[in-house]
Amino acid sequence: MSNDPSTDSMTAESTVSLDAMNRPEPSPELDRLYADYARISTSPLWTQLDDLMPIVPSPKAIPYVWRWHDLLDIARRSGDLVPVGRGGERRAIGLANPGLAPTAYATPTLWCAIQYLGPHETAPEHRHAQNAFRFVVEGEGVWTVVNGDPVAMRRGDLLMTPGWAFHGHHNDTDQPMAWIDGLDVPFVHDMDFGFFEFGSERVTDEASPSVSRSERLWAHPGLTPLSAQDSQSSTPIAAYRWEFTDQALREQLKLEDEGHPATLEPGHAAIKYTNPTNGGDVLPTMRAEFHRLRAGAKTAVRHEVGSSVWQVFEGSGAIVLNGDRRELTKGDLFVVPSWIPWSLEAGTEFDLFRFSDAPIVERLNFQRVYLPESNRYLPGGRG
Amino acid sequence: MSNDPSTDSMTAESTVSLDAMNRPEPSPELDRLYADYARISTSPLWTQLDDLMPIVPSPKAIPYVWRWHDLLDIARRSGDLVPVGRGGERRAIGLANPGLAPTAYATPTLWCAIQYLGPHETAPEHRHAQNAFRFVVEGEGVWTVVNGDPVAMRRGDLLMTPGWAFHGHHNDTDQPMAWIDGLDVPFVHDMDFGFFEFGSERVTDEASPSVSRSERLWAHPGLTPLSAQDSQSSTPIAAYRWEFTDQALREQLKLEDEGHPATLEPGHAAIKYTNPTNGGDVLPTMRAEFHRLRAGAKTAVRHEVGSSVWQVFEGSGAIVLNGDRRELTKGDLFVVPSWIPWSLEAGTEFDLFRFSDAPIVERLNFQRVYLPESNRYLPGGRG
Amino acid sequence: MSNDPSTDSMTAESTVSLDAMNRPEPSPELDRLYADYARISTSPLWTQLDDLMPIVPSPKAIPYVWRWHDLLDIARRSGDLVPVGRGGERRAIGLANPGLAPTAYATPTLWCAIQYLGPHETAPEHRHAQNAFRFVVEGEGVWTVVNGDPVAMRRGDLLMTPGWAFHGHHNDTDQPMAWIDGLDVPFVHDMDFGFFEFGSERVTDEASPSVSRSERLWAHPGLTPLSAQDSQSSTPIAAYRWEFTDQALREQLKLEDEGHPATLEPGHAAIKYTNPTNGGDVLPTMRAEFHRLRAGAKTAVRHEVGSSVWQVFEGSGAIVLNGDRRELTKGDLFVVPSWIPWSLEAGTEFDLFRFSDAPIVERLNFQRVYLPESNRYLPGGRG
Amino acid sequence: MSNDPSTDSMTAESTVSLDAMNRPEPSPELDRLYADYARISTSPLWTQLDDLMPIVPSPKAIPYVWRWHDLLDIARRSGDLVPVGRGGERRAIGLANPGLAPTAYATPTLWCAIQYLGPHETAPEHRHAQNAFRFVVEGEGVWTVVNGDPVAMRRGDLLMTPGWAFHGHHNDTDQPMAWIDGLDVPFVHDMDFGFFEFGSERVTDEASPSVSRSERLWAHPGLTPLSAQDSQSSTPIAAYRWEFTDQALREQLKLEDEGHPATLEPGHAAIKYTNPTNGGDVLPTMRAEFHRLRAGAKTAVRHEVGSSVWQVFEGSGAIVLNGDRRELTKGDLFVVPSWIPWSLEAGTEFDLFRFSDAPIVERLNFQRVYLPESNRYLPGGRG
């Protein structure tokens, strides 16, 4: 077997399949040997190498698109039929990647659910080692109360619930509200890192301020309270408001128009939500980003180690996943499994929220990004 | 062995068991709703919360002991019957945790195998994103060639193969040799982070020096070459030799005898193998340690987040895993799944090698250590 | 003002004053010995220990107050009589600490000057290894152009010029403008770390936008451009605007009113200006802060390692330096040398800008803070 | 020796010398203005810019060589005439750079002294914020006791006394001993960062073991005690022994002979003494290195920001400082002020110890290295 780079050595992948070792002649001794592997709870590498250590990542999770109208419809029907309260804790309906059945995982690391809270309903308080956030594609009227701090949820906002922070939600209005939750539940579950604790049946502070105390203390550009100067493992900002995200993206595109470097690639503005105490990711396991493409723009095809979930926030366009083009419109969600090549195409101006397991990839030194169209690797990863 | 949370003070809350939400009355609408969840590839949280987010880690991996004589026996028989070479790559027989069947994983993150190389055999070169090391409990005569540097393998040595380093092994003697391999194969596989590339059919340098070039450059206490001052993600030392490990442990016990702080707890010496470029773990995903207990010593019971694999290097004693006591002797291996309480008891002086996924736990901020006998948490973790 | 150690519990030892060693009998041999020390360019420690290694820091810099009306008056007269241009480079008049004569240093590390630019004048471009910033206590109309990016200067703004960034200033109006410059000039000079290079005679971009490109890219709370994710040694934000500083301080005091932790001590709000790429200080050598005291508030007396310069931005009150109380009003500047005890007292609501060499102190592990009234050391320093 | 920038390509700009600003016509008003600058404790930048902010570093410290026979002779005579004891504390004779008179500083940051202890003499214990080490070019028989741990001092050893560690020395033999001390005394003094405290009149542990407890715990290659895993600001290794330094250097040259990368440049082996808890420098303010040149080797000329002190340990050769060549032999010391070009030439095999203020330079982001012969800057610095 040769590792022929001419066919793109990285992705020749699976065509160069890993054959088993020169197979021995069948014999009774060999049969006994194979039986004994299992008897003493062992298993030989050479019977499983192809699956276990593929040439390039070969994810079970598949590229997949969920439609917002389907999700919103089923969330509403769940709201009518299934009460929320202690025990079930949340009326959250997870995106179940068909490649990962029977789990309800979006990717091997990421959980994503639509959560729905009817008028004046409360989701009781609890806390868990799992890190969480919420992102709002439409609606308002719910306050998530994080360690006692009520945080208004509005369209375009990203709301943080770091691991082990108590949190509950209450709907202060006569209208239902739906949003998406992102968590590292699959990762924490499969690694056996999780803890869970119940809290108050009702939220501990039922006030409904337009900004949280955490924002009043921390959400000032480049300014931090002198009373809290240590680096914190998760962001202390509970809400990243849409007005700031929108403004940051708009300015990137304007700067591009004026001839200055600002965008990620032509016509493609993007921001990372960061932890102001250290400039790093908002959560130890999850990165959150927001992308805006100009109408007609197209991103370079990328292979990236690690998986991500995207939601269209506004506009329409398409995602090309492993060569398959899928049209997208407001609220639609899709997953990009590890190393699956992807690119975005904007019909109208096209706004998308993204979260990924990039901190896991990068803190453990597995990062690689490959751009097949220009046949190059980005710096910072092995290639 | 059961993981009974009722004996665990931190799980007092767990008496409030996670019931399902107030269940709605059965109805055709409800049936249609549940059918539609699956139809649009979704799954409600409230049907799976107990399993998905337990009160404390509830690992599928079970505490388990493998006997060295069983492993060595089956490795020898494999040596007689199964050739080694390109395709199967290695004559490695993995420890298959019965709780994780049908995989051959030792824990959700760690792979551990006994590898066997007959007289004058060669395991061909390859490289992979997975990080690896070898630990030798007996024998000698094999050289592992890491990025072209031949590294002798002898009893008590820890040999490193960081991710993406080319490596092969060759037996330079008339005797077979067996050792254990440790890798982050389960983690990398399940996360879809892995890459693999074939290399030379034979090792690229067949010399058999007693020390590797990497040791000559890097294995001097507190001294590093001025020509290579950047922090490196994996250790540049290819071999941690037994004589140094033994001496470090012996000195800790002598210092304890003289009344000075040195040991981890009374009668329990322990070292961490470290990366001299930054003082951190040898590999981005795996920690390696060596422990020595005085005859008769017993360690405090501990719950720790994350899993580990241990091998007895010398002496005899016992491991108590979740209350079950198992006798151990030279070469025996056992796994400690996440949060399973464990303690060691030394019969004779008792030497053990350990490796774990602690860097994954700690870099992603999930660390907790709980000492039930004194009902306290160690600093640095949430509690 | 004297730095009386007898009032300081940590200096109890200082009653044992540092005498010279048991002095030898005078003799011709001894005379020759002392002559020979000098002859071979050496000097014995025992003749200089008291001065060289005092019990607590014994700064030559003295606590000192400069009056804004004096500074503004002399800056205007300089504007009338002394042209600005290539060679002298800046019409900047440095605060010369009387204890540090004949230098014009404010402290051993910090330079502070009032700079004055007449109508339509230009200070030509240059760059230097020294880090710099400007702070505006009154006026507007000048643009500082930093690496080609025009940055408007307005009352309350902090404008950054990191080391080796080209910069020039031009006054776009018919009015003169004055502001203060802060630099690490004494440190860089005395350490011999400095480089200097001339640039354009005129500013390279004479536009006069209300916000700089750097702000448009970077000054969004918790959001950073995805195109620039590496940690940078100096902040990429060229201007920290007064509206955000004011809002952050106002919110801290409101949160305190509401019963939540936010202020540094009762009635004392304070923010640190930070580098959004890593959450650290804006410049490698200088920390910048803004403090607001409620009318009537008084800060705890502090001894701190390292020196700082303060400017009153608004309101009136007093600074007590080593027991001496000095009244302060808008624009007044004062220095706090290392370890000199200080506290602030607010008459009206009292706003002050501060910069210090805290990054030098902390990155090199010399930090100590001592609160004599409660006889305790703050964490993080030796005591 | 002159620091002629005209020979330095990076200073091409320096031909545009820094003239004063277009000078105004003399007038009574101007006289009054200049008088008033001083009256209100200010000083205009334009009268001092050339000296204050030169084109390249223009150190007052001069390149200088001290002869070991001179130093040893005067140390012996001091031993005969000047007692050691409380008050004077140490019989240490500092190298006084003629350019820095009247101080006894070797460079603006570094103190270097020869210390001498007669038979059975004791230098009493004290501690100070200043960081210190000792290096032994010949002799043995003294133990330095650091925080109660007796540390034998022998030829070729580097002995550490981090800031605020209690320490005293005692000579356990009938022979005197001399060695060099290195401290950050000038830096700490001029920055006003220093604290000092007296300790025991005699050393607290008069034992004379051949290795210290710190070595027994920490000086094992790549192995650290599991009981002490946090990063420490100074190295916990009290003694770096000659046998390891020598071996590391010898191996680098052998690896070079075998064709492998190991040396800093051809024929030039070099190691850095490091802190095993983080891989960084041994002390927060000082770097320590050891260099070995093959007979006949010559190093590339370098300009470096920051200053250093060197001592010849063995062999003979020359140092070229700013173009002036000086012969060197065993024990001779010399200083390289900031940015002064230097290169070494080996007559015999040539061993040199070096310490520098590189951690100050690098932690505060002032690093630049320029190689004039190849007209290039090394990575990591501005250029």
Side-chain angles (χ1 to χ4, degrees), chain D residues 118-328:
Chain D
H120 302 289
E121 281 188 334
T122 293
E125 294 201 348
H126 60 214
R127 64 176 175 177
H128 39 68
Q130 287 84 351
N131 298 284
F133 67 82
R134 332 210 167 273
F135 179 75
V136 183
V137 76
E138 61 183 9
E140 62 182 13
V142 168
W143 272 254
T144 178
V145 182
V146 180
N147 279 341
D149 185 12
V151 185
M153 296 173 66
R154 290 183 294 260
R155 170 163 157 82
D157 295 346
L158 174 69
L159 302 317
M160 310 309 305
T161 313
W164 216 232
F166 273 115
H167 58 285
H169 322 305
H170 70 113
N171 186 335
D172 201 48
T173 73
D174 298 328
Q175 300 299 323
M177 182 178 172
W179 64 87
I180 65 162
D181 290 337
L183 293 98
D184 52 12
V185 159
F187 178 76
V188 175
H189 178 265
D190 289 3
M191 298 294 108
D192 302 318
F193 291 171
F195 294 81
F196 187 98
E197 191 176 326
F198 293 101
S200 164
E201 292 292 315
R202 295 199 62 76
V203 296
T204 48
D205 187 335
E206 297 195 338
S208 50
S210 63
V211 292
S212 64
R213 294 194 296 270
S214 83
E215 290 163 83
R216 294 164 61 195
L217 200 49
W218 284 100
H220 309 281
L223 309 177
T224 60
L226 203 55
S227 55
Q229 285 302 313
D230 290 336
S231 175
Q232 300 178 24
S233 61
S234 296
T235 180
I237 300 179
Y240 291 78
R241 297 298 175 190
W242 172 243
E243 65 191 275
F244 301 121
T245 302
D246 180 47
Q247 185 181 23
L249 295 164
R250 205 165 50 228
E251 291 291 0
Q252 286 189 16
L253 292 176
K254 276 196 217 165
L255 285 162
E256 186 183 67
D257 282 337
E258 298 166 20
H260 298 290
T263 52
L264 194 58
E265 53 190 335
H268 180 184
I271 56 92
K272 185 167 93 168
Y273 298 92
T274 57
N275 175 344
T277 72
N278 55 33
D281 283 296
V282 284
L283 296 170
T285 51
M286 289 188 286
R287 177 165 300 167
E289 306 169 353
F290 203 103
H291 295 251
R292 174 171 292 171
L293 274 71
R294 292 181 195 277
K298 184 177 180 313
T299 70
V301 177
R302 285 174 171 242
H303 296 250
E304 296 169 320
V305 172
S307 57
S308 57
V309 178
W310 297 71
Q311 184 175 31
V312 176
F313 181 69
E314 191 62 79
S316 61
I319 175 72
V320 184
L321 281 163
N322 225 359
D324 282 5
R325 193 174 182 283
R326 303 290 298 273
E327 297 293 329
L328 299 169

Side-chain angles (χ1 to χ4, degrees), chain A residues 3 10 18 21 36-37 41-43 45 55 57 64 66 77-78 81 83 87 92 94 96 108 192 194 196 198 338 363, chain B residues 18-19 21-22 36-37 41-43 45 55 57 64 66 77-78 83 92 94 96 190 192 194-198 338 363:
Chain A
N3 183 17
M10 302 277 343
L18 272 166
M21 221 175 311
D36 282 349
Y37 288 137
S41 296
T42 59
S43 179
L45 176 66
I55 298 296
Y64 200 78
W66 290 262
R77 288 161 59 202
S78 303
L81 294 171
D192 302 318
F196 187 99
F198 293 102
S338 187
R363 293 182 187 200
Chain B
L18 270 168
D19 294 327
M21 223 176 309
N22 299 326
D36 282 350
Y37 288 137
S41 296
T42 60
S43 179
L45 176 65
I55 297 296
Y64 199 78
W66 289 261
R77 290 162 58 202
S78 303
D190 289 4
D192 301 318
F195 294 80
F196 187 98
E197 190 176 327
F198 293 102
S338 187
R363 292 182 188 200

Side-chain angles (χ1 to χ4, degrees), chain C residues 18-19 21-22 24 36-37 41-43 45 55 57 64 66 77-78 81 83 87 92 94 96 108 190 192 194 196 198 338 363, chain D residues 18-19 21-22 36-37 41-43 45 55 57 64 66 77-78 81 83-84 87 92 94 96 108 192 194 196 198 338 363:
Chain C
L18 271 168
D19 293 327
M21 224 176 308
N22 299 325
D36 282 350
Y37 288 136
S41 296
T42 60
S43 179
L45 175 65
I55 297 296
Y64 199 79
W66 288 261
R77 289 163 57 202
S78 304
L81 296 172
D190 289 4
D192 301 317
F196 188 98
F198 293 102
S338 186
R363 292 182 188 201
Chain D
L18 270 167
D19 294 325
M21 223 176 309
N22 299 324
D36 282 350
Y37 288 136
S41 297
T42 60
S43 180
L45 176 64
I55 297 296
Y64 200 79
W66 288 261
R77 290 162 59 202
S78 304
L81 295 172
V84 71
D192 302 318
F196 187 98
F198 293 101
S338 187
R363 293 183 187 199

Side-chain angles (χ1 to χ4, degrees), chain C residues 6-284:
Chain C
S6 69
T7 62
D8 184 341
S9 77
M10 78 91 37
T11 60
E13 293 265 23
S14 65
T15 56
V16 182
S17 81
L18 271 168
D19 293 327
M21 224 176 308
N22 299 325
R23 295 179 190 279
E25 289 299 300
S27 72
E29 288 83 358
L30 196 64
D31 291 346
R32 271 198 301 278
L33 179 66
Y34 276 85
D36 282 350
Y37 288 136
R39 190 181 53 79
I40 63 165
S41 296
T42 60
S43 179
L45 175 65
W46 58 88
T47 62
Q48 45 191 305
L49 184 58
D50 286 23
D51 283 347
L52 204 55
M53 300 178 74
I55 297 296
V56 298
S58 174
K60 286 185 192 164
I62 62 169
Y64 199 79
V65 177
W66 288 261
R67 299 299 175 186
W68 186 240
H69 61 80
D70 287 341
L71 297 170
L72 201 54
D73 174 69
I74 211 158
R76 283 172 181 147
R77 289 163 57 202
S78 304
D80 293 341
L81 296 172
V82 184
V84 70
R86 179 60 78 219
E89 299 292 303
R90 299 291 183 260
R91 192 187 290 108
I93 302 154
L95 308 188
N97 191 300
L100 299 175
T103 73
Y105 295 176
T107 81
T109 49
L110 303 173
W111 171 272
C112 184
I114 181 169
Q115 189 172 158
Y116 184 89
L117 212 52
H120 301 289
E121 280 189 335
T122 293
E125 293 201 349
H126 61 214
R127 65 177 175 177
H128 40 68
Q130 288 85 351
N131 297 285
F133 67 82
R134 337 217 162 267
F135 179 74
V136 183
V137 74
E138 60 184 9
E140 62 181 16
V142 168
W143 271 254
T144 178
V145 182
V146 180
N147 279 340
D149 186 12
V151 185
M153 298 174 66
R154 290 185 293 260
R155 172 164 156 81
D157 294 347
L158 175 68
L159 301 318
M160 309 309 305
T161 312
W164 216 233
F166 273 115
H167 58 285
H169 322 305
H170 70 114
N171 186 334
D172 201 48
T173 71
D174 298 328
Q175 300 299 324
M177 183 178 171
W179 63 87
I180 65 163
D181 290 338
L183 294 98
D184 52 12
V185 158
F187 178 78
V188 174
H189 179 264
D190 289 4
M191 298 294 107
D192 301 317
F193 291 171
F195 294 80
F196 188 98
E197 190 177 328
F198 293 102
S200 165
E201 292 292 316
R202 296 200 61 77
V203 295
T204 48
D205 187 336
E206 297 196 339
S208 51
S210 62
V211 293
S212 64
R213 293 194 297 268
S214 83
E215 291 163 83
R216 294 164 62 194
L217 199 50
W218 284 100
H220 308 281
L223 308 177
T224 60
L226 203 56
S227 55
Q229 284 302 313
D230 290 335
S231 176
Q232 300 179 22
S233 61
S234 296
T235 181
I237 301 180
Y240 292 77
R241 297 295 176 192
W242 171 244
E243 65 191 277
F244 301 120
T245 303
D246 180 47
Q247 182 182 26
L249 295 163
R250 203 165 51 228
E251 290 291 1
Q252 286 190 16
L253 292 175
K254 275 197 217 166
L255 285 163
E256 185 182 69
D257 283 335
E258 297 166 20
H260 298 291
T263 51
L264 194 57
E265 53 189 336
H268 180 184
I271 57 92
K272 184 166 94 169
Y273 298 91
T274 58
N275 175 342
T277 71
N278 55 32
D281 282 296
V282 282
L283 296 169

Side-chain angles (χ1 to χ4, degrees), chain D residues 47-65:
Chain D
T47 62
Q48 45 192 303
L49 183 58
D50 286 22
D51 283 346
L52 204 56
M53 300 177 74
I55 297 296
V56 298
S58 173
K60 287 185 191 164
I62 62 170
Y64 200 79
V65 177

